[in-house]
Amino acid sequence: MKMSRPRIIVEPNAAALATCAAQHLIARVTENTGEPAICLTGGSTPKRLYELLATPEWRTRLPWSRVHWFIGDDRFVPPDNALSNIGMAERAFLAACAPPANVHPIPTNAASPEEAATFYEQTLREFQTRHRSDNAPLFDLVLMGVGPDGHTASLFPGYPAASETKRWVTGVPQAHVAPFVPRVSLTLPCLAQCREMLLVASGADKRDILTRVFAGEDLPAAHAQSAGGETWWLIDKAAAPEPREA
Ligand code: 6PG
């Protein structure tokens, strides 16, 4: 997929980044008067956003009965495991705010990551058939992060999953970065089916990898983009690459 030039929003700090991300999420949900679908990301960066959504100020802005929540990747562990991405989101806001029927976790109780991937792909395709007419995008918003090696979701550089072009969900038997557990991940073509992709990164330890991604290095995070919708990088000042010499 041709890499479009990323559009970048720089917020002063992590708190402002979470507020901006919440505004993008609310806007996308508000636009969809049917069944909005949000694809969450894992890792630590989005936790502040998730906790914000559960606060009285923000909670009232979402039509919780209509919004559906998915996860872009997960570690192949039970939801009550501290490593679980959906478990983190549940504990941060979903358990308090969303009807359980609207939360669609990757079934990590399946026999294997591959079996979980097959089941989740069925879930996504069924949701599309039931709630998306014609060629309306599957997701209204896809949240993504970026790892120090340039991975996004659980699509690691050089791994087959990162170059999958047909399947929507795939198993990742091992990870070369912590946590070293098997994963299940949506693929780039699936994640691209969105009105907006919002890639979030915060903190000085992301500066180096963002420099490489924004320079167009062949990395999964650099290839992540909406197909036909908007792609935004939302970062804070600490993560912003040094301005390049003119
Ligand atoms: C995961 C995430 C992963 C994450 C990046 C950044 O399962 O770990 O989906 O892609 O977004 O690793 O993680 P941090 O936000 O913790 O830096």
Side-chain angles (χ1 to χ4, degrees), residues 76 106-119 170-172 182-184:
F76 195 64
I106 291 172
T108 53
N109 59 346
S112 68
E114 268 307 315
E115 185 181 76
T118 301
F119 288 157
T170 182
V172 181
R183 316 289 185 90
V184 182

Side-chain angles (χ1 to χ4, degrees), residues 36-243:
I38 306 296
C39 187
L40 301 172
T41 184
S44 56
T45 303
K47 194 163 183 287
R48 196 164 188 153
L49 160 64
Y50 298 166
E51 291 168 345
L52 195 62
L53 294 175
T55 61
E57 182 199 347
W58 288 88
R59 184 174 185 158
T60 53
R61 303 188 198 182
L62 275 164
W64 295 97
S65 64
R66 290 194 293 113
V67 186
H68 288 261
W69 306 90
F70 298 86
I71 189 82
D73 73 303
D74 219 332
R75 294 74 181 271
F76 195 64
V77 296
D80 60 358
N81 184 304
L83 295 177
S84 169
N85 287 334
I86 197 68
M88 183 272 280
E90 284 277 6
R91 291 185 286 274
F93 78 112
L94 290 174
C97 303
N102 290 16
V103 179
H104 308 278
I106 291 172
T108 53
N109 59 346
S112 68
E114 268 307 315
E115 185 181 76
T118 301
F119 288 157
Y120 206 53
E121 179 152 341
Q122 284 166 357
T123 298
L124 293 172
R125 289 184 185 276
E126 282 163 12
F127 183 87
Q128 183 185 51
T129 304
R130 190 174 316 134
H131 298 299
R132 290 295 180 264
S133 56
D134 304 331
N135 55 3
L138 178 60
F139 299 117
D140 296 278
L141 179 76
V142 170
L143 285 166
M144 303 283 277
V146 58
D149 60 342
H151 79 260
T152 192
S154 284
L155 304 171
F156 300 111
Y159 280 48
S163 48
E164 172 60 48
T165 58
K166 297 274 183 301
R167 297 178 64 188
W168 285 13
V169 192
T170 182
V172 181
Q174 62 181 18
H176 70 161
V177 292
F180 300 98
V181 295
R183 316 289 185 90
V184 182
S185 185
L186 273 58
T187 60
L188 289 177
C190 180
L191 292 158
Q193 297 179 59
C194 58
R195 294 185 192 283
E196 177 177 345
M197 182 176 284
L198 187 63
L199 300 107
V200 294
S202 169
D205 64 344
K206 293 293 169 73
R207 181 173 296 172
D208 288 350
I209 192 59
L210 287 179
T211 303
R212 295 170 56 194
V213 166
F214 293 165
E217 193 172 325
D218 182 10
L219 294 164
H223 290 286
Q225 58 184 342
S226 167
E230 297 183 16
T231 303
W232 292 94
W233 278 90
L234 173 57
I235 67 177
D236 62 11
K237 201 163 170 25
E242 296 294 333

